[in-house]
């Protein structure tokens, strides 16, 4: 099946921390890699560490900075420094936050939404972000398709640039057919 660049499935490896992670990413060649700047995360990496890791990254792979409620000025500074190519907002950042960040940078913004039901998908549909990431959605998607229901985002009137995110765990796939 031929896919245009617009609707091509994009892959992001997230939580990279070590040079060996970058080596693996360069071999797999995903579209994006993610560096977690949320200090409370076990995958947190410092700005200095990411500078070193990015030097090892294949130039065709874009670096995403994952932030949780970070000040927009700091996010914009990291984008301007060329350390990351996109910002992924994974906290309580709202439309006002994104408007302020857009005033500081023209780089793309990914907004992550934790999906627990159709209301969360509705909120994602209304986001002004360049890309929407639906986090921990695989189990919901499989549960819905098991009931012969279409995923809720098929019913929205505007096209979404979606990214689906979930940890790949064997229990997700047991008993589910694709």
């Amino acid at each position: 099946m031929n896919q245009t660049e617009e609707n091509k499935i994009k892959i992001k490896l997230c939580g990279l921390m070590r040079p060996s992670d970058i080596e693996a990413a360069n071999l797999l060649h995903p579209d994006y890699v993610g560096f977690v700047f949320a200090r409370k995360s076990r995958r947190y990496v410092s700005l200095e560490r990411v500078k070193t890791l990015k030097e090892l990254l294949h130039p065709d792979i874009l670096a995403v900075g994952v932030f949780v409620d970070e000040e927009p000025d700091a996010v914009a500074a990291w984008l301007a420094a060329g350390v990351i190519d996109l910002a992924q907002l994974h906290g309580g950042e709202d439309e006002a936050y994104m408007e302020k960040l857009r005033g500081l940078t023209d780089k793309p913004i990914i907004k992550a939404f934790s999906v627990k039901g159709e209301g969360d998908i509705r909120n994602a549909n209304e986001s002004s972000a360049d890309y929407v990431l639906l986090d921990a959605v695989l189990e919901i998607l499989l549960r819905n398709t098991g009931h012969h229901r279409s995923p809720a985002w098929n019913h929205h009137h505007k096209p979404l640039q979606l990214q689906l995110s979930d940890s790949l765990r064997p229990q997700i796939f047991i008993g589910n057919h694709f």
Side-chain angles (χ1 to χ4, degrees):
M1 171 169 90
N2 274 336
Q3 293 182 326
T4 64
E5 187 61 31
E6 183 177 309
N7 67 4
K8 178 185 169 222
I9 293 173
K10 306 259 183 179
I11 305 293
K12 179 179 76 153
L13 301 178
C14 201
L16 282 66
M17 302 171 61
R18 306 167 301 195
S20 61
D21 297 336
I22 300 298
E23 289 173 20
N26 287 338
L27 287 173
L28 295 170
H29 207 89
D31 300 285
Y32 310 98
V33 296
F35 299 109
V36 178
F37 291 110
R39 291 188 188 277
K40 293 182 180 179
S41 171
R42 65 183 177 90
R43 300 237 180 244
Y44 168 79
V45 288
S46 68
L47 181 60
E48 295 74 28
R49 180 77 169 166
V50 171
K51 286 178 183 178
T52 302
L53 294 173
K54 181 139 187 215
E55 289 176 6
L56 303 173
L57 187 64
H58 189 285
D60 291 341
I61 302 172
L62 297 177
V64 177
V66 179
F67 300 93
V68 177
D69 301 323
E70 183 62 63
E71 288 297 320
D73 293 331
V75 176
W78 291 329
L79 287 162
V83 177
I84 54 173
D85 305 298
L86 297 92
Q88 179 178 317
L89 309 177
H90 224 291
E93 302 90 355
D94 58 12
E95 289 297 316
Y97 178 102
M98 284 192 280
E99 185 176 330
K100 182 173 182 182
L101 183 57
R102 285 189 193 287
L104 300 169
T105 183
D106 62 350
K107 299 287 186 175
I109 298 171
I110 303 168
K111 176 61 181 142
F113 290 85
S114 180
V115 177
K116 296 178 181 85
E118 288 191 28
D120 299 314
I121 295 170
R122 206 172 5 266
N123 291 339
N125 186 52
E126 295 170 0
S127 174
S128 67
D130 299 294
Y131 300 96
V132 169
L133 185 145
L134 301 178
D135 197 19
V137 73
L138 190 54
E139 292 178 84
I140 292 169
L141 209 170
L142 293 173
R143 188 175 28 219
N144 284 347
T145 58
H147 293 294
H148 306 290
R149 291 178 43 205
S150 297
W153 53 84
N154 284 349
H155 305 291
H156 292 291
H157 60 279
K158 77 172 190 176
L160 285 176
Q161 292 290 328
L162 288 176
Q163 296 183 9
L164 304 179
S165 174
D166 203 336
S167 299
L168 296 179
R169 303 177 308 274
Q171 60 268 34
I172 290 176
F173 298 100
I174 296 170
N176 292 304
H177 305 284
F178 296 94

